[in-house]
Amino acid sequence: MKALRAYFFNSIVKLCFINCLTGVALIAPSISYGQEWAPDRTIRLIVPYGVGGSSDVIARSLAVELGKNLGQTVIVDNKAGGQGVIAMQEAARAAPDGYTIILGHVGTLAVNPAMMQKLPYDVQKDFSPVTLLAKVPMVFAVGPKSDATTLPQFISQAKASPGKLTYGSAGNGSAGHLAFEMLKLAAGIDVMHVPYKGTGAQMTDLLAGNIDAAAAGLPGFLPHVKSGKLKILAVGSAQRMPAVPDVPTVAELGYKNFESTQWFGLLVPAKTPEPVIARLNKEALKALASPTVQRRLIEDSSTPVGAGPKDFAQFIASEQKRWSAVVRNANLTAD
């Protein structure tokens, strides 16, 4: 009788163990490492900023072609607010199955970790890089009331009147804020920062002459430059930009190795299976190389890049090191 009871007990334990394993198998992504991932439903691409900026243009241009390549719709979900923290948190908590992607940015991946002591996400631990997508050079411009026509003139004016000139940005910790702080450190000048809640408000005051200068991506400035309302003094890229070929780089004006660009890339939640990341990388690079996406990005003064997951991870790490130095040397803190 004891032997019979032991037999039934062991059988029940084995059955429960098998059922548990089956349950885990049902929860885990049904894909083997020798098999290419094929999505079977809509994919969401989260953008940490509002509609209309370079991040939105890049995301929407890519989403259409990426969806075609994957055979599924890729929807763009703008989640603005909190300097990108809200969107990053949501993406970090999403299921690691390839159906949630986030558009990473220099601000959310390199600047926030340096400026925010209690950042509710960890770039290295909570995300897996997919690919670097594009770079958007920063430009330095002055408004209609400024009589500076070159960057050296503006720097001379700033040195003559420390703390009296002002520059605006889209917000504390924004790409424009960090770019101008980098310029201040390189040139040894004191210019007062005026943070705004978005590029629109900053542009309004710059055009009205309420601030002297600003730094931002070229697309936002270009229409006003063409109309003669703004003057671009220099570009932050390593080479001159085709859209404004007569404008010098900061580096060629004597500030060696100066480079300030916004950049964008795709990431997925940590623990996303390697085959999923590999397929997303493959199709994102294919989409990035398509004539439609290339043309749209160039129109927006963005430079298409592309990279493998490991290369993108190394790039993020190097950018974190570079921008943390700017934050530390400029003694910047989050709001």
Side-chain angles (χ1 to χ4, degrees):
M1 182 64 69
K2 290 182 178 179
L4 186 61
R5 282 200 298 267
Y7 171 78
F8 281 120
F9 177 77
N10 290 334
S11 297
I12 291 170
V13 170
K14 289 180 180 178
L15 183 60
C16 290
F17 182 70
I18 291 170
N19 285 338
C20 288
L21 287 179
T22 303
V24 171
L26 289 174
I27 293 172
S30 56
I31 181 171
S32 67
Y33 280 82
Q35 176 186 357
E36 188 173 73
W37 176 61
D40 57 10
R41 62 182 186 274
T42 299
I43 296 168
R44 183 170 63 135
L45 173 53
I46 301 176
V47 178
Y49 304 101
V51 176
S54 291
S55 58
D56 189 56
V57 170
I58 291 169
R60 292 182 185 279
S61 300
L62 185 83
V64 175
E65 293 299 317
L66 181 60
K68 290 178 183 177
N69 296 343
L70 291 170
Q72 295 293 332
T73 301
V74 177
I75 61 169
V76 174
D77 186 6
N78 296 86
K79 293 277 183 179
Q83 294 176 226
V85 172
I86 295 172
M88 293 295 285
Q89 268 190 294
E90 183 170 333
R93 294 170 180 170
D97 54 12
Y99 293 97
T100 299
I101 313 171
I102 187 157
L103 186 76
H105 174 255
V106 58
T108 58
L109 300 178
V111 175
N112 285 356
M115 289 190 68
M116 299 182 181
Q117 292 184 352
K118 296 182 179 180
L119 192 65
Y121 64 87
D122 186 301
V123 175
Q124 275 72 28
K125 293 181 180 179
D126 295 334
F127 299 94
S128 293
V130 176
T131 184
L132 180 64
L133 292 174
K135 293 182 178 182
V136 179
M138 302 299 294
V139 298
F140 300 89
V142 291
K145 292 185 179 181
S146 174
D147 56 4
T149 58
T150 66
L151 185 64
Q153 285 180 359
F154 180 82
I155 290 172
S156 295
Q157 291 173 0
K159 287 184 175 181
S161 304
K164 291 187 177 181
L165 295 181
T166 58
Y167 81 90
S169 79
N172 196 30
S174 66
H177 179 201
L178 271 291
F180 219 105
E181 289 299 322
M182 180 183 278
L183 178 65
K184 285 169 58 177
L185 290 170
I189 56 176
D190 179 12
V191 182
M192 187 173 71
H193 176 221
V194 182
Y196 291 86
K197 292 183 178 180
T199 303
Q202 166 201 282
M203 192 63 67
T204 298
D205 265 12
L206 181 62
L207 290 168
N210 295 327
I211 52 176
D212 298 298
L218 179 60
F221 284 139
L222 201 53
H224 306 295
V225 171
K226 290 180 177 179
S227 68
K229 295 179 181 179
L230 297 180
K231 171 70 177 179
I232 296 179
L233 303 180
V235 299
S237 51
Q239 292 84 32
R240 293 195 182 198
M241 300 177 66
V244 284
D246 296 331
V247 178
T249 68
V250 176
E252 69 181 276
L253 291 173
Y255 302 96
K256 190 177 179 181
N257 298 324
F258 185 99
E259 184 175 0
S260 180
T261 59
Q262 295 187 68
W263 47 263
F264 305 86
L266 297 181
L267 301 96
V268 290
K271 298 183 181 179
T272 298
E274 289 297 330
V276 176
I277 295 173
R279 180 81 195 282
L280 287 173
N281 174 267
K282 172 185 173 182
E283 303 306 347
L285 292 180
K286 189 186 297 184
L288 194 62
S290 70
T292 301
V293 174
Q294 291 269 320
R295 183 173 60 254
R296 186 66 186 89
L297 295 190
I298 291 172
E299 287 174 355
D300 195 54
S301 299
S302 302
T303 303
V305 185
K310 290 183 179 179
D311 289 337
F312 186 28
Q314 291 173 357
F315 176 78
I316 293 171
S318 66
E319 284 290 284
Q320 287 180 336
K321 183 178 180 180
R322 186 160 73 98
W323 289 109
S324 64
V326 174
V327 169
R328 181 175 62 254
N329 293 332
N331 195 28
L332 304 180
T333 57
D335 289 330

